[in-house]
Amino acid sequence: MSPEVRQVKRRQILFLTRKSDVSLQVQLAAQLKDLIQSGQLGAGDPLPSSRELAAELKVSRNTVVYAYERLISEGYLNSRSRSKVYVSDTARELRSAAQRNRAQQESVPAVHVPKESSAGGPKPFRPCQPDVQIGRASCRERV
């Protein structure tokens, strides 16, 4: 496959939404991870250099470097010094683990959290928020 054909194919697969609340780096990393998990990028497949991909996507090189570094730290990609970035050999295991997680999430029923009622019943737990009612009661007891 010629380099021009690969570029067109990548443009069809990778797209970044600049008006999104999600940063470009996170969008790119998520899309590359999805390609690996779906099997479209297999173990040992080379990825374009950061300069090349940045030019194709019309983003900063730092955006691509950040996305590559994130996926390297998660184990999806491998990098060799002054060489291309490749899909990791462990990508298969990560892909199967992701599929197992999806299957488990689909099989687990949703948890029902009751809405707060004014009837004084139990209220949902909120981490890092003290129960103000307890503090008021103890203050009244001191007086």
Side-chain angles (χ1 to χ4, degrees):
M1 188 181 306
S2 71
E4 294 82 22
V5 173
R6 274 189 236 135
Q7 284 181 349
V8 170
K9 200 170 185 180
R10 272 195 300 267
R11 279 191 211 123
Q12 292 172 347
I13 294 173
L14 296 173
F15 57 94
L16 302 176
T17 307
R18 295 179 190 283
K19 293 183 180 180
S20 173
D21 292 337
V22 180
S23 69
L24 297 174
Q25 299 97 336
V26 174
Q27 288 180 48
L28 181 58
Q31 288 182 23
L32 288 171
K33 186 191 286 189
D34 287 342
L35 290 173
I36 294 168
Q37 289 177 347
S38 68
Q40 292 180 5
L41 287 174
D45 286 351
L47 285 136
S49 70
S50 58
R51 293 176 201 274
E52 185 180 326
L53 187 58
E56 285 177 29
L57 297 175
K58 295 180 176 68
V59 295
S60 166
R61 180 173 169 254
N62 287 337
T63 301
V64 177
V65 168
Y66 173 82
Y68 279 179
E69 291 295 326
R70 180 174 178 168
L71 293 175
I72 288 169
S73 70
E74 292 179 9
Y76 287 94
L77 300 178
N78 280 337
S79 173
R80 296 185 193 101
S81 180
R82 301 202 181 264
S83 182
K84 285 195 170 196
V85 176
Y86 297 89
V87 177
S88 173
D89 294 333
T90 60
R92 283 190 204 110
E93 291 85 24
L94 293 170
R95 180 175 49 213
S96 62
Q99 290 170 346
R100 280 192 305 270
N101 285 342
R102 282 191 203 122
Q104 286 176 348
Q105 288 174 355
E106 291 171 1
S107 67
V108 174
V111 176
H112 174 70
V113 177
K115 293 183 179 179
E116 286 189 42
S117 66
S118 59
K123 296 188 170 93
F125 175 74
R126 291 189 179 139
C128 301
Q129 289 186 347
D131 187 356
V132 181
Q133 299 300 326
I134 293 173
R136 290 180 187 162
S138 66
C139 287
R140 287 185 202 133
E141 291 170 4
R142 292 183 195 161
V143 176

